[in-house]
Amino acid sequence: MNPTFVARRSYAGRDLRHRTLDHYSFKLCDFRGADLRGASLRGASFAGCDLRDADLRDADLSYASFGYVNTHDPEYGRTDVTGARWDGADLRGVTVERVVGWPDHLPTA
């Protein structure tokens, strides 16, 4: 099993500041209110994850992808970033597909 693939895990409200999670693949994980300030998430993948109100300030999200998981219900399995904080985050090369709450002012590749 790939140790960088994580499915259906809750990180809600957790302190993950300055963690290195480069190239991790998160599927259907809960990051609601998680503190990811300064974390390194280069090339990480978020599929069907809940990042509502997560703090991603100064996180390195370069080349990360935010997407969805195919399910029987098209609304279920979408990544939600509503209310997330992005100030100072590195979003170079980020890809976004069918994400709820992605701010208009943030780049997408």
Side-chain angles (χ1 to χ4, degrees):
M1 177 167 218
N2 183 348
T4 62
F5 176 78
V6 182
R8 298 183 188 271
R9 183 166 290 165
S10 177
Y11 300 97
R14 299 252 327 256
D15 183 350
L16 301 171
R17 287 178 292 174
H18 304 290
R19 295 281 178 97
T20 299
L21 302 168
D22 296 342
H23 304 289
Y24 270 60
S25 291
F26 298 101
K27 181 179 177 183
L28 299 170
C29 291
D30 184 356
F31 288 93
R32 286 176 295 167
D35 188 348
L36 291 153
R37 286 178 290 167
S40 182
L41 295 153
R42 291 182 299 237
S45 171
F46 297 91
C49 294
D50 191 344
L51 289 120
R52 287 178 288 170
D53 300 317
D55 193 341
L56 296 157
R57 289 179 291 171
D58 300 317
D60 185 350
L61 291 156
S62 53
Y63 304 100
S65 66
F66 294 83
Y68 63 98
V69 175
N70 282 327
T71 65
H72 62 285
D73 178 355
E75 294 305 309
Y76 179 75
R78 291 176 69 178
T79 293
D80 189 342
V81 298
T82 304
R85 297 185 68 180
W86 304 92
D87 304 330
D90 183 347
L91 300 170
R92 176 178 20 119
V94 165
T95 59
V96 177
E97 187 175 0
R98 291 176 45 188
V99 172
V100 176
W102 190 264
D104 292 336
H105 70 280
L106 293 181
T108 60

